[in-house]
Amino acid sequence: MIFPFMAQTSLNMGENVEGALCYLLGWLTGIVFYLIEKENEFVRFHARQSILVFLPLSILSFIFGGGFMFGRALFWSGWFFLVAIGWLISLLMFILWLVLMFKAYQGEKFKLPIVGDIAERGF
């Protein structure tokens, strides 16, 4: 373990590793770690934040990015700016993914505005 001062979790990993893994596949791993980890509040916070950040952004990116026929129709009908919103959401998701994984791995309880407060209170 890189950070020996980090607490262990119910999966016998460092909380920093498990916290970072909450973001690995976005909201999917957030749900997995939220259901598996029952003891460590640091990991549960990052799991909740992952779900609250990446699930809505994934849905919006899917809709605007052409995931539906609606998105493709918008693109070909000249509504490029709506599809560009999907691309911007995807870029935002990538940046958040990098930052949140890095911060969790450093052992930091990095709270995003609004969503971080909700994640801290719990579901």
Side-chain angles (χ1 to χ4, degrees):
M1 184 161 56
I2 292 177
F3 299 108
F5 56 87
M6 292 289 175
Q8 288 294 316
T9 62
S10 60
L11 296 176
N12 284 331
M13 290 189 224
E15 68 181 0
N16 64 323
V17 173
E18 212 170 300
L21 288 175
C22 288
Y23 299 107
L24 184 64
L25 297 176
W27 58 272
L28 290 172
T29 47
I31 290 173
V32 168
F33 280 98
Y34 184 74
L35 294 174
I36 292 174
E37 182 60 55
K38 299 294 184 191
E39 299 171 13
N40 191 297
E41 187 52 39
F42 177 81
V43 175
R44 290 182 60 82
F45 164 78
H46 283 290
R48 287 188 300 262
Q49 183 165 261
S50 178
I51 296 165
L52 291 170
V53 168
F54 290 110
L55 183 59
L57 287 176
S58 295
I59 292 168
L60 289 174
S61 176
F62 186 73
I63 291 171
F64 286 110
F68 289 118
M69 291 305 291
F70 174 72
R72 290 189 185 110
L74 286 175
F75 182 80
W76 291 112
S77 66
W79 291 85
F80 298 114
F81 71 94
L82 288 179
V83 177
I85 290 172
W87 295 334
L88 290 173
I89 292 170
S90 295
L91 178 63
L92 173 67
M93 286 173 55
F94 179 70
I95 293 168
L96 285 172
W97 178 73
L98 289 174
V99 169
L100 291 171
M101 278 187 66
F102 182 72
K103 293 290 191 178
Y105 188 74
Q106 287 184 321
E108 186 176 337
K109 191 175 180 181
F110 184 76
K111 287 183 359 179
L112 292 172
I114 300 168
V115 176
D117 293 331
I118 296 169
E120 193 169 51
R121 285 193 305 264
F123 295 138

